[in-house]
Amino acid sequence: RPGQDQLLTSAFSWFYMAINIGAVLSQFAMPALRDRYGYQVAFLFPAVLMAVALFIFAMGKKFYAVEK
């Protein structure tokens, strides 16, 4: 498709940036959660965020491109 290479590059750049921002934020947030609430909450918090991300991803299914 015309423009697909640019779209793919842009999408990967946003994905990569989001991963790196999350990694940096977790360096500060997880020790604070662990110290204040304990290890259970420190491990549960990222799990809940991943479940929310999966839900958002699944809700956008009707907007995905369909290969024919």
Side-chain angles (χ1 to χ4, degrees), residues 5-39:
D5 290 337
Q6 177 60 34
L7 180 62
L8 186 61
T9 301
S10 178
F12 181 75
S13 294
W14 279 101
F15 172 75
Y16 191 72
M17 182 180 65
I19 293 295
N20 286 323
I21 289 171
V24 168
L25 291 177
S26 72
Q27 294 294 313
F28 300 106
M30 292 303 106
L33 283 173
R34 179 199 63 208
D35 293 342
R36 182 168 286 182
Y37 301 107
Y39 281 98

Side-chain angles (χ1 to χ4, degrees), residues 46-62:
V48 169
L49 291 179
M50 285 187 282
V52 169
L54 178 61
F55 176 75
I56 292 170
F57 180 75
M59 293 305 297
K61 186 175 182 177
K62 62 184 173 183

